[in-house]
């Protein structure tokens, strides 16, 4: 809170808890109060994510980097413990090993309890205590406050990793960039590709050409009024097919964040008469392509279905159905890499495109940053995340400037993981 107060962009809404069991209840009563959510660590974040009631972007303070370095230094100065005879939690083993190597610590973390999601205080405390009582460790290093207090209560020597100013500022700056990205996303081009079955609007056995033509004119008038409501432009793309160009934000508002079909008089023609595909993209061409793919998926769901296809290769729909689902159309290799590394499929798709463009799988952070138009440290974090998950490995170094820091060259492979 003290650090965040230094950022004029934030209006802070603190929510405190003592036990993890309180988190969901506190979130339920205040879930609509924030545009972004920042959690104090991985566990409360995982609890909120598993609950599923938070629809806004969520972040948590990490305990890697400077936070971990500070704790290891504190242990070395105060206790002079053998770092191999400590138990650790939260961190991936590869992250700890890399931290030790970078700090020139001649030891290897042996006892590590890594958990990617929710974990109980009892399970975590039992793990550390069993090692300590069995004489295998001298103490514990934990990131969870409640586990630290429980270990103290049980008489197990423990250190708690606390976030440094740098780690908090890092996530606050990430939130600011995410807000900018969200604004960009809301302003993205969105396309609705609509197919209207005018025959459903005709009375059975009373079909005549003039009636069909009249009904088509009425449909066009209705869609023009609807297009004005979403501040879009309407064009006809063939018999019974129409395309509306607008923005993602306007469609999010009118569909309840792509959860239901707009209940507008302008769209009421006949039950099941309108089938729609919505697409978003960074260009009009990409958005229209995605809208066409969404329309094909809508046809697969039956007449009158609405589906949405986003620029991160996810599909949502059918809109308005209680059994609405979201799934990815990205290759399975990227989906698995995303799951293992914590990186989004969209980011991985961009990286894959860069590698295909340059014609090989080796790249350094500096070159990747130029291709992705991001800061070198962001590209470095991306490559480190892939390395930790086993999808990248250091294969060499380059030093374009004799006095500069050598640049690590990574080989990236989404199709194989050793992690």
């Amino acid at each position: 809170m003290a650090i965040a107060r230094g950022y004029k962009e934030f209006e802070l809404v603190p929510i405190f808890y003592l036990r993890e069991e309180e988190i969901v209840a506190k979130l339920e009563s205040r879930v609509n109060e924030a545009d972004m959510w920042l959690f104090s660590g991985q566990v409360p974040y995982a609890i909120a994510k598993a609950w599923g009631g938070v629809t806004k972007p969520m972040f948590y303070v990490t305990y890697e980097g400077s936070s971990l370095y500070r704790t290891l230094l504190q242990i070395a100065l105060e206790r002079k413990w053998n770092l191999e005879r400590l138990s650790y939690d939260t961190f991936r083993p590869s992250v700890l090993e890399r931290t030790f190597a970078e700090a020139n610590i001649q030891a290897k973390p042996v006892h590590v309890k890594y958990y990617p999601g929710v974990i109980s205080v009892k399970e975590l405390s039992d793990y550390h205590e069993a090692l300590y009582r069995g004489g295998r460790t001298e103490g514990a290093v934990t990131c969870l406050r409640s586990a630290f207090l429980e270990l103290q209560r049980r008489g197990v020597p423990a250190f708690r990793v606390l976030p440094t100013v740098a780690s908090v500022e890092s996530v606050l700056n990430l939130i600011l960039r995410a807000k900018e990205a969200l604004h960009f996303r809301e302003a993205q081009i969105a396309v609705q590709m609509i197919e209207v079955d005018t025959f459903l609007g005709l009375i059975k056995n009373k079909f005549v050409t003039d009636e069909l033509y009249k009904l088509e004119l009425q449909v066009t008038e209705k869609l023009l009024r609807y297009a004005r409501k979403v501040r879009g432009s309407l064009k006809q793309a063939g018999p019974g097919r129409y395309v509306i160009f607008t923005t993602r934000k306007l469609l999010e508002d009118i569909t309840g964040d792509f959860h239901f079909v707009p209940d507008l008089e302008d769209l009421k023609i006949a039950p099941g008469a309108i089938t729609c595909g919505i697409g978003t993209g960074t260009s009009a061409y990409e958005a229209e392509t995605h809208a066409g793919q969404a329309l094909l998926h809508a046809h697969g769901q039956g007449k009158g279905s609405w589906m949405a296809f986003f620029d991160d290769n996810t599909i949502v729909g059918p809109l308005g159905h209680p059994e609405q689902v979201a799934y990815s159309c990205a290759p399975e290799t990227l989906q698995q890499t995303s799951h293992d590394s914590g990186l989004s499929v969209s980011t991985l798709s961009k990286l894959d495109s860069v590698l295909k463009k340059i014609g090989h799988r080796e790249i350094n952070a500096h070159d990747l940053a130029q291709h992705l138009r991001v800061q070198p440290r962001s590209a470095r974090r991306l490559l480190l995340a892939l390395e930790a998950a086993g999808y990248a490995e250091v294969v060499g170094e380059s030093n374009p400037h004799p006095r500069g820091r050598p640049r690590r060259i990574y080989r990236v492979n989404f199709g194989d993981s050793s992690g």
Side-chain angles (χ1 to χ4, degrees):
M1 286 289 293
I3 298 167
R5 287 192 188 101
Y7 288 72
K8 65 180 186 301
E9 297 90 346
F10 296 123
E11 180 183 341
L12 307 175
V13 182
I15 299 176
F16 302 102
Y17 69 94
L18 292 176
R19 300 186 307 276
E20 280 70 23
E21 294 79 9
E22 304 172 21
I23 291 175
V24 171
K26 287 183 176 286
L27 286 174
E28 281 180 321
S29 62
R30 308 184 68 175
V31 71
N32 296 317
E33 292 186 26
D35 299 313
M36 300 274 187
W37 288 85
L38 174 59
F39 294 88
S40 58
Q42 178 179 311
V43 169
Y45 169 86
I47 290 172
K49 190 173 182 181
W51 171 53
V54 178
T55 58
K56 302 293 185 179
M58 300 189 298
F59 305 83
Y60 64 90
V61 179
T62 63
Y63 294 83
E64 299 177 13
S66 58
S67 301
L68 180 55
Y69 284 125
R70 183 178 66 180
T71 304
L72 294 175
L73 178 61
Q74 185 182 5
I75 292 171
L77 293 176
E78 293 184 13
R79 298 292 181 93
K80 295 183 173 58
W81 280 343
N82 180 349
L83 297 180
E84 287 187 349
R85 285 182 51 78
L86 292 175
S87 54
Y88 304 83
D89 64 45
T90 305
F91 303 104
R92 287 179 181 270
S94 58
V95 169
L96 278 172
E97 290 171 7
R98 185 173 67 244
T99 301
F100 277 37
E102 290 176 349
N104 201 27
I105 297 172
Q106 302 302 314
K108 185 175 181 179
V110 179
H111 310 290
V112 184
K113 179 73 169 179
Y114 168 66
Y115 54 94
V118 180
I119 193 170
S120 70
V121 175
K122 183 179 184 306
E123 181 183 349
L124 207 55
S125 301
D126 287 349
Y127 168 78
H128 290 297
E129 184 180 22
L131 290 168
Y132 176 71
R133 301 296 180 201
R136 300 170 65 188
T137 62
E138 299 178 42
V141 178
T142 182
C143 298
L144 192 61
R145 174 183 178 274
S146 51
F148 173 71
L149 296 175
E150 177 63 16
L151 288 170
Q152 284 188 320
R153 190 189 69 78
R154 298 184 185 188
V156 179
F159 275 85
R160 180 186 172 201
V161 183
L162 290 169
T164 60
V165 171
S167 62
V168 176
E169 287 182 337
S170 176
V171 73
L172 291 175
N173 287 316
L174 179 62
I175 291 173
L176 289 177
R177 292 199 300 273
K179 181 63 177 174
E180 292 172 359
L182 183 61
H183 176 73
F184 171 76
R185 191 191 77 171
E186 290 175 346
Q188 268 187 331
I189 296 171
V191 172
Q192 279 185 273
M193 195 167 287
I194 297 172
E195 282 190 359
V196 182
D197 189 346
T198 48
F199 286 94
L200 293 177
L202 293 171
I203 300 173
K204 194 175 182 180
N205 299 326
K206 290 190 177 180
F207 167 74
V208 291
T209 305
D210 288 347
E211 288 296 319
L212 179 59
Y213 180 67
K214 180 180 177 181
L215 185 59
E216 288 179 344
L217 289 177
Q218 291 174 353
V219 167
T220 304
E221 285 293 326
K222 286 176 178 286
L223 290 176
L224 280 170
R225 287 197 296 270
Y226 168 74
R228 283 195 289 270
K229 281 190 170 64
V230 295
R231 300 178 191 173
S233 61
L234 176 73
K235 72 174 185 179
Q236 193 161 3
R241 178 173 289 190
Y242 303 82
V243 178
I244 296 175
F245 289 85
T246 180
T247 65
R248 178 171 182 153
K249 172 62 175 173
L250 292 168
L251 286 186
E252 282 181 347
D253 290 343
I254 207 166
T255 62
D257 199 16
F258 302 106
H259 280 88
F260 55 78
V261 175
D263 185 19
L264 298 172
E265 284 296 324
D266 303 321
L267 293 178
K268 289 183 179 177
I269 298 170
I274 292 183
T275 305
C276 176
I278 296 173
T280 67
T282 55
S283 67
Y285 175 80
E286 184 181 55
E288 191 169 4
T289 300
H290 289 166
Q293 292 173 311
L295 186 61
L296 288 174
H297 284 274
H299 279 303
Q301 298 292 330
K303 282 187 177 294
S305 296
W306 287 44
M307 300 289 289
F309 193 121
F310 303 115
D311 55 302
D312 62 355
N313 287 312
T314 57
I315 293 180
V316 171
L319 276 60
H321 285 223
E323 66 274 15
Q324 179 176 327
V325 295
Y327 52 93
S328 177
C329 279
E332 288 186 11
T333 51
L334 291 189
Q335 294 182 50
Q336 185 62 47
T337 306
S338 174
H339 177 272
D340 294 341
S341 67
L343 299 169
S344 70
V345 170
S346 178
T347 298
L348 294 172
S349 296
K350 292 175 184 176
L351 171 58
D352 198 36
S353 297
V354 168
L355 297 174
K356 289 176 179 176
K357 181 179 179 181
I358 63 177
H360 52 82
R361 310 298 294 183
E362 293 78 29
I363 196 166
N364 62 50
H366 181 269
D367 292 343
L368 179 59
Q370 290 187 322
H371 283 289
L372 295 180
R373 298 181 182 178
V374 299
Q375 293 295 323
R377 60 176 177 271
S378 299
R380 194 173 298 113
R381 280 197 295 267
L382 190 159
L383 290 170
L384 287 173
L386 288 173
E387 183 187 14
Y391 292 96
E393 61 176 327
V394 178
V395 295
E397 289 185 345
S398 64
N399 196 352
H401 307 291
R403 296 184 181 180
R405 180 180 177 182
R407 295 171 181 171
R408 292 182 175 181
I409 300 171
Y410 292 82
R411 178 180 293 124
V412 180
N413 190 345
F414 298 140
D416 179 40
S417 170
S418 58

